[in-house]
Amino acid sequence: MRIPSTPSRRPYGWLLPALAALLPATAFAGPWEVGSTSPSTSRKVKAEVTWKHTDSKDTWARPVLKFAAPLARDLSFEVAAGYGIVEKSNGATRSGAKDFTGKLKWRFVEEGDRRPAWLVEPKFSFDTGSPGIGGGVTTLKTPLRAGKQFGKLRLTAEVSHTHGFAHDYDDLVGYGALLEYAPNPRWIVGVDLLNDRPLHDGGRYHLRGNAAFKYKASKRLELQGLLGRSAENRRGELATSAKFVAAYKF
């Protein structure tokens, strides 16, 4: 059994792009596990370095390169590939290609005064990685999110289902929430909490949280960082994780 660790018709439509320019959260997705309800509105490239530590090993992705672009007003795509390194506590080291991933972000309900934005984000992880580096099975993860702005705060909730295209894969269900705070137009800080488990075994859950930031260094460049930790993991080891991201819009 394997478990994977259209143009606006509204009056004063010119106000929307003006406000978007002041809110960095609308320009780039965040580093949290719980994602955003905003599709990409421009082409962008991202470079990520991630680290995950458990008692038995350290796992690196350095780097993961991503490209995202809009397909329509409320629809965008992203593809990613990268290089991974596993350093076991006994001294053994393995490295190679990570799985290739591709996803769509479709916001099917726009945010209003009294309603949240709704978005679905199907993501394929293809079994193309090196042995011991990739996940070993092609998966489809489908998160459904709702998000709403409350002044300088933004709250996003997510439920997800992960299906593995292998007979011995236990599908996962997950749920989580993200709270973001924007003290000024350049900075966003936030925390998320996420729990997932096998579809038919609720006792084998993994509860974890992350604290992260996004800093808009310029009109085109954004820097992101994250620190995370398992609160309880009933199907594996407790893990500590970190991530750094540089994103460039063009």
Side-chain angles (χ1 to χ4, degrees):
M1 177 176 63
R2 288 175 286 182
I3 298 178
S5 326
T6 59
S8 175
R9 296 183 175 86
R10 297 178 181 177
Y12 310 107
W14 60 272
L15 285 173
L16 296 178
L19 289 172
L22 295 175
L23 294 173
T26 64
F28 296 93
W32 298 274
E33 285 195 78
V34 175
S36 75
T37 55
S38 298
S40 297
T41 57
S42 61
R43 293 177 298 171
K44 66 191 74 169
V45 292
K46 293 189 283 186
E48 294 185 4
V49 175
T50 66
W51 167 74
K52 180 180 177 181
H53 170 78
T54 65
D55 288 341
S56 65
K57 62 185 177 182
D58 288 283
T59 304
W60 293 86
R62 54 183 198 220
V64 172
L65 300 177
K66 300 182 178 182
F67 173 77
L71 294 171
R73 174 186 171 89
D74 294 306
L75 180 67
S76 67
F77 76 94
E78 181 181 278
V79 292
Y83 186 79
I85 303 169
V86 176
E87 301 169 339
K88 294 188 177 181
S89 57
N90 62 9
T93 300
R94 183 188 297 267
S95 62
K98 294 181 63 63
D99 290 342
F100 177 84
T101 66
K103 68 180 181 181
L104 292 172
K105 296 184 75 173
W106 177 39
R107 183 177 57 201
F108 57 92
V109 176
E110 290 193 18
E111 186 170 343
D113 292 338
R114 296 187 177 183
R115 69 170 184 267
W118 287 87
L119 178 138
V120 64
E121 188 181 39
K123 176 182 177 180
F124 277 100
S125 295
F126 298 97
D127 183 21
T128 58
S130 302
I133 303 296
V137 60
T138 295
T139 61
L140 172 61
K141 182 177 181 179
T142 310
L144 174 66
R145 302 190 193 106
K148 187 77 173 68
Q149 194 80 27
F150 301 94
K152 293 185 176 182
L153 294 173
R154 184 168 187 84
L155 180 63
T156 303
E158 174 181 299
V159 294
S160 67
H161 175 264
T162 303
H163 173 71
F165 295 88
H167 72 277
D168 58 348
Y169 184 94
D170 280 344
D171 286 6
L172 297 176
V173 292
Y175 51 90
L178 165 64
L179 179 63
E180 299 170 90
Y181 172 65
N184 58 57
R186 287 187 175 270
W187 284 92
I188 292 179
V189 295
V191 293
D192 71 351
L193 191 64
L194 190 73
N195 189 19
D196 58 20
R197 60 174 179 82
L199 181 61
H200 301 296
D201 190 352
R204 301 179 62 220
Y205 61 85
H206 183 195
L207 176 64
R208 55 203 183 269
N210 303 280
F213 73 88
K214 298 193 291 183
Y215 172 63
K216 191 175 182 181
S218 70
K219 183 178 180 180
R220 297 185 180 276
L221 178 65
E222 184 172 287
L223 305 177
Q224 306 174 358
L226 173 144
L227 287 173
R229 175 67 180 172
S230 297
E232 190 169 4
N233 190 356
R234 294 193 174 184
R235 62 174 190 272
E237 299 175 290
L238 297 178
T240 300
S241 59
K243 180 191 295 187
F244 178 78
V245 184
Y248 184 80
K249 180 176 67 173
F250 60 96

